[in-house]
Amino acid sequence: MTRHASDLIGDDLGLTGAHVGREHGLCDCCTMPTGKEAMTRHAITLTVNGSSYTREVDARKLLSDFIRDDLGLTGTHVGCEHGLCGCCTIFLNGVTVKSCLTLAVQADGAELKTIEGLAPDGKFHPIQEAFWENHGLQCGFCTPGMLMSAVHLLEKNPNPTEQEIRKAIGGNLCRCTGYVNIVKSIKSAAEKMAGKLELTNFSSSSDLPSS
Amino acid sequence: MPVINMRLAQPAVLVDINRISSLDFIKAENGSVAIGALTRHASVASSEVLKQSCPMLPYAAQFVADVQVRNRGTFGGSISNADPAAQFPALVYTLGGEITARDSKGSRRIPAAEFFIAALTTALKPSEMVTEVRVPSLQGKIWSFRVVAPRAGDTVLAGVAVACELDTDGNCRWARIGMFGVGPTPLRASMAEEKLLGNRLEEKLIGEIAERAAAETQAGSDVYASASYRRELIRWLVAWNLRQIQGNPQEKKR
């Protein structure tokens, strides 16, 4: 039976300062310097929801953690931390990505949009309104990512079918709603926004080359 | 990135190639298509060049993961990762593609048949990276593709890609049957292909080919499916794809 160093330190040596969190390497509560890592730090400048930020970050820092911890934009949620749940979905240079699968240093010079950018003046975006009206959320944990995916879909396809909506949110897990009301919300948002897409304009900054 | 997030890989140095925009291209040339390593899955899915010359790739791209991953994931990344259940390595292997690898000393072309060595293991040297992948054009050929996954975009339990060329009598004169998710690398059902060559597709033959293909898998059991279930899926998928080709010989002919 293999023993983890974290357990050895905590249980056998009684040094309980090293905390044990999820015990599969994602939380870093048990991190300690071994003297081998040569962590590099980088200064990055990026635009988030129209504001420019310059920060110095560890090379290893995930973009999702950077957005929450360094920029204080906690609307972007962190669920699985390995690209399955979609809670951390943001716009990077005009397209949706999972920010936990991107390093902060990779976003140097990029333009980001997060859930906070959807209602910049505190007034709900029509998609947010639609989620509210149709009970498109229960606990709300997945909602920021769901909304980002919904915006991305409606920008490309203003009048999606139910099947297209379901495909578009395939990368976002919801454990409460069973998706029925989320699909209904997005459908309702599409009807609300017919012909008024300038309200979002999230992907206008796209500078990704297309093939 | 998930492998790094899980601490399964702990690289000392990471080089971000996202800014090398010259690696993002899809070009048709001399009967094949060249796809740059940095080409996103979303670009593969929507590429008019590919829809013309190798439509099985954009068709298969819609089954790769989800929108966000397709916006960010790259063709070169998928090929280098060599996941035995992944769509793109399987198609490049099945169609007899070629991978260009480059390091500071120069570049070389590796046939797909020699590239995928084992699960997540390729013929790349530690100093090399994939810069381009070439896939032969499917023009004039008929193809069909289908995967079975527990959920849309999830890890594929079994997938099959079939491409063939029929002569004027309807006899098959060129055939490829690729299988994935059922071995340490993508596989070709070469005994099943042999059975198809020179023959007309009819129900009895389809059943025999599907049986042969299922016997050629190297399926393993895991938490998602048993080896025997995966073999059964392959038998069903090969037959389904062949019936598609039999039923619509014109529809997918390009």
Side-chain angles (χ1 to χ4, degrees):
Chain A
M1 173 74 191
T2 312
R3 297 211 61 210
H4 290 131
S6 55
D7 293 338
L8 176 82
I9 291 160
D11 302 346
D12 300 10
L13 304 183
L15 301 171
T16 51
H19 293 166
V20 176
R22 300 187 212 169
E23 298 202 69
H24 61 274
L26 289 179
C27 68
D28 275 340
C29 296
C30 63
T31 296
M32 61 197 74
T34 62
K36 282 183 191 164
E37 294 90 355
M39 183 59 65
T40 56
R41 287 178 69 80
H42 301 263
I44 61 170
T45 300
L46 69 179
T47 306
V48 185
N49 304 325
S51 304
S52 178
Y53 297 87
T54 299
R55 296 283 188 280
E56 197 185 87
V57 292
D58 284 344
R60 65 184 291 285
K61 188 155 212 161
L62 296 177
L63 183 55
S64 48
D65 291 336
F66 172 78
I67 291 167
R68 290 176 56 85
D69 302 347
D70 295 47
L71 303 185
L73 297 171
T74 52
T76 299
H77 289 171
V78 170
C80 72
E81 296 190 25
H82 61 282
L84 286 179
C85 77
C87 294
C88 67
T89 300
I90 60 158
F91 278 76
L92 174 75
N93 292 334
V95 295
T96 48
V97 302
K98 291 175 174 173
S99 57
C100 76
L101 293 185
T102 310
L103 295 167
V105 288
Q106 292 182 292
D108 186 21
E111 187 166 331
L112 272 54
K113 297 269 174 69
T114 67
I115 183 67
E116 287 87 350
L118 207 53
D121 54 1
K123 188 177 178 299
F124 276 168
H125 184 279
I127 300 184
Q128 290 171 308
E129 270 178 24
F131 269 67
W132 186 7
E133 289 161 4
N134 293 281
H135 202 162
L137 63 147
Q138 287 178 31
C139 85
F141 197 85
C142 71
T143 314
M146 281 289 178
L147 289 165
M148 294 288 101
S149 287
V151 171
H152 190 50
L153 167 70
L154 295 180
E155 283 189 347
K156 288 189 303 179
N157 180 357
N159 190 22
T161 63
E162 179 181 340
Q163 194 59 29
E164 286 166 339
I165 294 172
R166 286 183 177 273
K167 277 188 179 169
I169 58 169
N172 295 79
L173 299 184
C174 171
R175 301 289 79 165
C176 303
T177 63
Y179 303 99
V180 171
N181 285 348
I182 293 176
V183 173
K184 211 200 283 179
S185 303
I186 297 174
K187 190 84 191 145
S188 151
E191 286 157 16
K192 260 179 202 281
M193 301 198 328
K196 291 190 284 179
L197 275 177
E198 73 276 10
L199 282 170
T200 60
N201 216 20
F202 257 37
S203 61
S204 60
S205 60
S206 177
D207 58 5
L208 285 180
S210 56
S211 297
Chain B
M1 274 302 294
V3 181
I4 294 175
N5 286 15
M6 295 282 203
R7 311 307 197 258
L8 295 171
Q10 303 193 339
V13 176
L14 265 185
V15 179
D16 184 15
I17 63 164
N18 276 286
R19 280 151 222 267
I20 312 175
S21 55
S22 58
L23 287 179
D24 182 0
F25 60 84
I26 298 173
K27 286 185 267 194
E29 28 185 72
N30 306 327
S32 70
V33 201
I35 303 170
L38 202 58
T39 308
R40 313 283 170 185
H41 302 334
S43 305
V44 171
S46 64
S47 162
E48 288 305 321
V49 173
L50 280 173
K51 283 178 190 171
Q52 285 299 313
S53 54
C54 196
M56 190 148 43
L57 277 171
Y59 180 78
Q62 64 178 312
F63 305 107
V64 176
D66 50 56
V67 176
Q68 297 96 311
V69 170
R70 292 197 292 273
N71 283 339
R72 186 82 181 152
T74 63
F75 201 81
S78 174
I79 298 299
S80 309
N81 192 43
D83 184 326
Q87 284 85 342
F88 294 146
L91 286 182
V92 171
Y93 178 83
T94 303
L95 299 178
E98 199 176 57
I99 291 104
T100 303
R102 186 165 159 183
D103 64 9
S104 57
K105 296 192 186 75
S107 71
R108 61 176 178 135
R109 289 187 178 183
I110 309 166
E114 295 163 23
F115 186 79
F116 301 106
I117 291 173
L120 310 177
T121 308
T122 68
L124 284 175
K125 293 182 214 153
S127 61
E128 285 178 322
M129 68 172 270
V130 170
T131 53
E132 181 182 303
V133 181
R134 269 165 197 275
V135 186
S137 163
L138 272 176
Q139 269 165 2
K141 305 207 166 60
I142 314 164
W143 58 272
S144 184
F145 177 92
R146 186 156 179 179
V147 296
V148 174
R151 287 162 295 270
D154 209 335
T155 300
V156 168
L157 296 180
V160 168
V162 178
C164 50
E165 197 176 349
L166 305 181
D167 63 20
T168 44
D169 298 328
N171 292 320
C172 177
R173 64 176 175 205
W174 178 91
R176 289 279 190 280
I177 301 176
M179 312 183 287
F180 58 104
V182 289
T185 62
L187 302 171
R188 264 177 66 190
S190 43
M191 277 157 49
E193 286 173 5
E194 255 172 55
K195 187 129 191 110
L196 179 53
L197 282 175
N199 289 314
R200 266 181 91 87
L201 275 176
E202 50 188 50
E203 194 52 36
K204 182 166 175 291
L205 183 69
I206 288 174
E208 288 167 12
I209 293 169
E211 286 299 335
R212 274 201 182 190
E216 288 182 82
T217 61
Q218 300 171 30
S221 297
D222 59 26
V223 66
Y224 301 109
S226 65
S228 62
Y229 181 66
R230 283 194 162 91
R231 276 195 296 275
E232 179 59 20
L233 286 178
I234 289 292
R235 198 182 63 76
W236 185 85
L237 284 165
V238 168
W240 186 90
N241 280 312
L242 289 173
R243 282 189 201 111
Q244 287 296 111
I245 287 171
Q246 179 195 31
N248 305 293
Q250 300 305 319
E251 190 181 303
K252 286 182 175 173
K253 204 167 186 172
R254 311 253 171 180

